[in-house]
Structures are given as structure tokens and as C-alpha cells.
Amino acid sequence: MEALEIREAGLVDGPDGDRAARRWILEASAPIGGPVLASGGRLHDLARLPALVAMAEGRPAGFAAFRHRGAAAELVALLAAHRGRGIGSALLAAAEAWLGAHGACRLTVFITNDNLDALRFYQRRGFVLERLEPGGFAAVARLKGLDPEAPYTGRHGIAIRDMLRLGKALCAPED
């Protein structure tokens, strides 16, 4: 893994944080459907969510954006500029630590049924499948203003139809 510095990315129009990193996050989110993403049945604006940015050699190398309220948290986006270098793993670990320090005890993430790489990534890091929403992609398509009847084909030539919710405990269960 390359030497990474992971830090909070301040809001573009906020008084603190790294505005240049936040702008990079918004630009880099294009391949994953951003800067407004549909997850968990709602739309999320990456400009308004807490985020961490990974820096390598002084340049942004990835980001994690999430939302949390109380003990529940959702990872809305995780993106590494380069695959297989440990950036995503480092960002996920940092996000889990940040969320745990801010009171979150459970982290969920939503992926589509075609995203086998993400399914493998999250399962290898302790996430378990909590729910399958057959036809859930149509709801996402409606949220984003897309044609829910379009025959979307995703990664590996798999038709995108369903949403999967994965979850992970961030704190020990109470006895």
C-alpha cells in the first residue's frame, strides 16, 4: 500500500476543511453517478455529506462519503483513483473509525446486483448481506429521473435489477 494521508474534506462552501479536495470528490464522482447519488431509497448530494479524502503524494487518491444519525450510518460512496493499492481499504477503515468515534454502531452500504467486485470487497471486510431488494434498481432509476424500464446492463454483462444492503457492526453488542 502506498503512503496515504486520510483527512476530512470540508464542504465546498463551508468555512473549514480542504475545499480543493471536496471539489476533486465532486469531479471524481462522475463514474459512480455523482455528485448526486441514490442510496438507501433517497438522493444524496456529495457536496453536503461528511467525507474523508485519501491523499497520496499531495494529490487526492480516493474518498469515502457517508451519512449518519445516532447509532446508524450509511456509506454512500467509496471511490479509489487506483484499484488494488489499498486505498479503498484504508478509506473504509478510516470511515469506520470516524463513524465509531461519532457514535455510530452500525454501518450499511447499498450496491446493485451486478457489482460483484464491491460485494467481494465488503464481504472480505466483515460486511454481511442483510437484505435483497428485488427490483430495487427501478426505484433508484426513478429517484434519479432515469427510465426504470430501460434494460440496464452493468458490470460483467449482468442486468441491473436488484439492490443489496450489506451491514457491519462498528461497536460491540450490549449484553
Side-chain angles (χ1 to χ4, degrees):
M1 178 168 79
E2 57 192 279
L4 292 175
E5 172 196 353
I6 298 178
R7 63 180 186 230
E8 290 184 50
L11 300 178
V12 172
D13 56 359
D16 60 329
D18 186 340
R19 291 185 184 132
R22 179 61 73 157
R23 280 192 290 277
W24 179 85
I25 289 171
L26 298 177
E27 291 168 10
S29 65
I32 58 172
V36 176
L37 299 175
S39 175
R42 58 180 75 95
L43 291 175
H44 303 284
D45 181 354
L46 291 180
R48 302 274 175 237
L49 291 176
L52 300 176
V53 63
M55 303 294 289
E57 299 177 7
R59 304 169 112 178
F63 73 91
F66 40 86
R67 66 178 193 84
H68 72 99
R69 179 168 292 146
E74 178 186 347
L75 182 65
V76 175
L78 178 66
L79 180 76
H82 305 285
R83 297 182 91 159
R85 295 187 183 173
I87 298 167
S89 296
L91 278 164
L92 181 58
E96 289 175 4
W98 189 96
L99 289 162
H102 287 83
C105 282
R106 184 130 199 93
L107 179 60
T108 59
V109 62
F110 291 84
I111 61 173
T112 52
N113 64 287
D114 69 309
N115 200 342
L116 303 177
D117 294 334
L119 181 60
R120 181 177 62 238
F121 175 85
Y122 290 115
Q123 287 185 97
R124 289 180 67 195
R125 284 150 188 89
F127 284 78
V128 297
L129 182 61
E130 293 181 339
R131 186 172 71 209
L132 166 67
E133 293 181 27
F137 182 70
V140 170
R142 281 191 296 278
L143 276 173
K144 298 256 327 179
L146 305 172
D147 178 4
E149 303 302 318
Y152 292 102
T153 301
R155 297 173 179 96
H156 310 290
I158 298 171
I160 303 173
R161 295 185 188 98
D162 309 317
M163 295 296 296
L164 292 89
R165 183 179 80 189
L166 296 112
K168 180 179 182 180
L170 299 181
C171 57
E174 295 181 16
D175 292 327

